[in-house]
Amino acid sequence: MKITSWNEIIEIIEKSIPNFPDITVNYIQFRGQADRDWKLEPTLTRLVKGNMLSEKKAKYYEFQAQSEFISQFHLNDSKLSYNESTNPAAILVDMQHFSCPTRLLDWSESAYIALYFAVNEFLDRDGALYIWDSRFYQEKMKKLYHDYVEIRGGDIIGHAKYDVLSIIFAVKKNERLIKQQGAFSISNNILKPHCEMISEIFDDTTSNSGLYKIEIPKELKLEFLARLRNMNITAASLFPGLDGLGRSIRETLILRQWSEDRQNLKKGFQNF
């Protein structure tokens, strides 16, 4: 669906929150994408799909990237340490944080933080806010596969019986993850977009897959960015350190110009 105002998106978000039977259980995740046409694809999926690789070859590329990261990370961050007992998902979370291509896809437990990422870039394109209630997916998988048990953490990587998708949370969080209330979806199939993994098991179009896409017109992006700023959801609040400072200054200049343009437009109408 495509929204036409701030009030409309607020109503949708607020209606999604009471679906929690228990607010301490993280069933619903949110993701913002600056381009509505992008699929729900991890960075590694986008890279290897472009080369039409086999899944075996894609996993080899992943292994190479992970090996390079593990062999050199200590040169830049002495706080990180891995051993044979380290969960593979924990390594992927650290790689994701440092912009390595991985099979992880970022989500947030906050709808408003996700909305920020739907409107903060590519101002000439419509954005999208995704809402995923993973309970629908888990229940459907149980009906399709009688032996299905929700697979958590890095165990999902080696699962070979059928394609499976799950939400994971970092055991050891970094500052950015905390600020962004981050979570990740992870799949055993590197080549398949996560949106397709969800939709393909719901072959009946009348079924509710639990995945919702709200399109945000490009004309509303700067207004939404300004409103989120009043809620203290900005680059400075979501990205720690100098990275956040630089992004925040850029946002301030863009919003200042947008505000001035709006004021000039109003004056033009008043003088007409």
Side-chain angles (χ1 to χ4, degrees):
M1 64 176 297
K2 192 168 187 175
I3 55 96
T4 58
S5 69
W6 173 259
N7 289 338
E8 195 174 352
I9 193 72
I10 292 297
E11 183 179 359
I12 293 171
I13 289 172
E14 294 304 319
K15 280 184 178 180
S16 72
I17 294 173
N19 287 333
F20 285 105
D22 179 351
I23 61 171
T24 64
V25 180
N26 313 101
Y27 291 113
I28 302 178
Q29 304 300 322
F30 304 88
R31 176 175 172 81
Q33 297 197 156
D35 189 326
R36 68 176 182 184
D37 294 327
W38 292 343
K39 294 182 178 180
L40 293 176
E41 289 182 313
T43 50
L44 183 60
T45 302
R46 294 198 295 270
L47 285 174
V48 298
K49 275 187 66 181
N51 294 322
M52 298 298 291
L53 297 175
S54 66
E55 188 173 0
K56 183 178 180 181
K57 190 75 172 180
K59 287 182 177 179
Y60 176 67
Y61 278 20
E62 180 184 47
F63 172 77
Q64 283 187 315
Q66 189 168 312
S67 297
E68 282 293 305
F69 182 80
I70 292 174
S71 70
Q72 298 184 46
F73 75 90
H74 62 280
L75 300 175
N76 299 287
D77 193 335
S78 58
K79 297 177 184 178
L80 292 178
S81 62
Y82 307 120
N83 53 50
E84 293 181 356
S85 63
T86 302
N87 190 304
I91 300 174
L92 292 178
V93 168
D94 288 334
M95 291 176 66
Q96 183 86 346
H97 174 67
F98 292 107
S99 302
C100 291
T102 76
R103 66 170 72 211
L104 301 182
L105 186 68
D106 296 285
W107 295 79
S108 176
E109 295 181 78
S110 166
Y112 297 102
I113 290 174
L115 181 59
Y116 169 86
F117 288 103
V119 302
N120 73 320
E121 292 183 329
F122 297 102
L123 302 178
D124 59 341
R125 308 180 197 174
D126 293 348
L129 174 69
Y130 285 89
I131 304 173
W132 185 32
D133 186 335
S134 60
R135 288 174 297 176
F136 290 88
Y137 178 84
Q138 298 300 335
E139 289 302 316
K140 185 67 173 181
M141 289 294 286
K142 289 175 184 177
K143 292 178 181 178
L144 291 174
Y145 306 101
H146 298 298
D147 62 339
Y148 176 77
V149 177
E150 185 175 358
I151 307 168
R152 297 185 178 275
D155 294 339
I156 200 171
I157 296 173
H159 185 76
K161 294 183 70 174
Y162 39 77
D163 290 344
V164 64
L165 184 67
S166 183
I167 289 288
I168 64 170
F169 299 89
V171 175
K172 187 177 181 181
K173 296 184 178 181
N174 54 59
E175 189 177 359
R176 182 182 296 184
L177 266 179
I178 294 171
K179 288 178 177 293
Q180 297 180 9
Q181 299 182 43
F184 307 93
S185 55
I186 182 173
S187 169
N188 59 337
N189 188 336
I190 298 177
L191 297 179
K192 189 173 292 185
H194 292 188
C195 49
E196 292 180 9
M197 294 193 68
I198 296 170
S199 62
E200 71 179 8
I201 66 170
F202 291 90
D203 49 6
D204 180 1
T205 56
T206 62
S207 299
N208 185 352
S209 69
L211 180 66
Y212 311 96
K213 178 182 179 182
I214 298 98
E215 296 183 7
I216 302 162
K218 57 182 178 291
E219 295 82 7
L220 295 178
K221 279 190 169 184
L222 287 176
E223 178 193 344
F224 283 21
L225 197 63
R227 290 182 181 275
L228 289 168
R229 188 181 186 86
N230 288 334
M231 300 166 68
N232 195 33
I233 299 176
T234 67
S237 67
L238 298 177
F239 295 91
L242 292 175
D243 184 25
L245 175 62
R247 291 170 183 255
S248 181
I249 292 172
R250 174 181 175 274
E251 275 178 19
T252 300
L253 294 177
I254 290 173
L255 288 174
R256 184 175 294 165
Q257 183 62 53
W258 171 75
S259 179
E260 290 177 359
D261 290 344
R262 288 186 73 199
Q263 292 300 322
N264 291 335
L265 187 62
K266 285 182 180 179
K267 289 179 181 177
F269 278 120
Q270 289 172 355
N271 296 330
F272 183 71

